[in-house]
Amino acid sequence: MKTPVQHDNKMMEAMHAMMQEMSNASLHGDPDNHFARMMQLHHAGALNMGNLVLEHNGDPAMAEMVKTMMQKQKEEIAALQLFLNNHRPMPHTEHAGFNTEMKKVMDNMDLLAEQENLTGDPDQDFATLMVHHHQAAIEMADLVIGHGADPAIKKMAGMIKTDQEAEIQWLQKWLNERRGIH
């Protein structure tokens, strides 16, 4: 159940908008194609959330991290689009197990985000939600690494996973410092 803060929370609204986009996306295609399209939408959601942090003009360290993250994700969106432009999946190449697992990852991210007690502070809420957001990206990357066929998309998934793991560590450290946890 949403708390009043979460209901009117711009960061949560951006997260929900991303989830809606991902839910509406076609699940047709092989795991490589599916991953590339879903990760584009996932990154676009992170960009929208990051813009809320930058508009807020709060913690300078958070703003710098967000700018760095956004630059990487813009580059990855472009690379994913290039992959999609050049990778035409054969008809009937869907992988039902992959699609089911991808949906579970998204549903879990949404569930965990809904359970968070958001504050209304864009920096704090971004960090809190982005931990779950990035964890979902890591799980998506693991899925395509395990089920995909294209070496280039598997390599990109590995790089996304590495970047997101490092960002989660940074975000958790930032959150812990604000909570007085060392």
Side-chain angles (χ1 to χ4, degrees):
M1 180 200 284
K2 295 181 192 176
T3 66
V5 171
Q6 287 172 303
H7 187 282
D8 296 327
N9 186 288
K10 289 185 187 291
M11 201 63 68
M12 185 63 86
E13 287 175 12
M15 183 91 146
H16 283 301
M18 177 207 61
M19 292 299 298
Q20 189 63 46
E21 285 284 323
M22 292 178 81
S23 292
N24 292 339
S26 170
L27 298 181
H28 301 292
D30 59 82
D32 300 322
N33 190 53
H34 183 170
F35 169 81
R37 182 68 187 124
M38 295 302 274
M39 190 55 68
Q40 276 187 317
L41 296 172
H42 199 255
H43 278 1
L47 294 177
N48 291 335
M49 294 166 73
N51 282 328
L52 293 172
V53 170
L54 297 179
E55 290 168 8
H56 168 63
N57 205 17
D59 181 66
M62 179 61 74
E64 279 307 308
M65 193 286 292
V66 167
K67 288 176 189 175
T68 300
M69 179 203 77
M70 290 175 73
Q71 183 58 42
K72 281 190 266 184
Q73 291 195 0
K74 286 176 185 177
E75 291 168 6
E76 289 167 355
I77 287 171
L80 291 163
Q81 186 59 54
L82 183 62
F83 174 82
L84 289 168
N85 290 345
N86 295 315
H87 178 81
R88 301 284 183 221
M90 298 299 292
H92 310 294
T93 58
E94 294 88 4
H95 186 292
F98 178 86
N99 291 352
T100 298
E101 289 302 312
M102 186 71 87
K103 182 169 178 3
K104 283 181 188 175
V105 167
M106 294 296 96
D107 289 347
N108 190 50
M109 177 183 65
D110 195 33
L111 175 67
L112 292 171
E114 284 294 332
Q115 293 173 351
E116 288 294 345
N117 189 13
L118 301 179
T119 66
D121 175 78
D123 292 340
Q124 179 90 18
D125 293 348
F126 175 84
T128 300
L129 292 174
M130 200 52 57
V131 168
H132 300 302
H133 187 271
H134 278 8
Q135 186 59 46
I138 291 166
E139 293 171 22
M140 290 167 63
D142 283 339
L143 283 171
V144 79
I145 289 167
H147 295 284
D150 189 275
I153 204 74
K154 291 171 100 169
K155 181 179 179 184
M156 185 183 300
M159 292 184 329
I160 289 170
K161 182 177 173 177
T162 299
D163 287 343
Q164 307 263 310
E165 287 170 340
E167 290 170 4
I168 286 173
Q169 287 180 347
W170 190 95
L171 292 164
Q172 287 178 323
K173 182 177 184 254
W174 187 91
L175 285 166
N176 288 340
E177 286 171 1
R178 265 113 203 108
R179 296 173 181 152
I181 302 169
H182 299 283

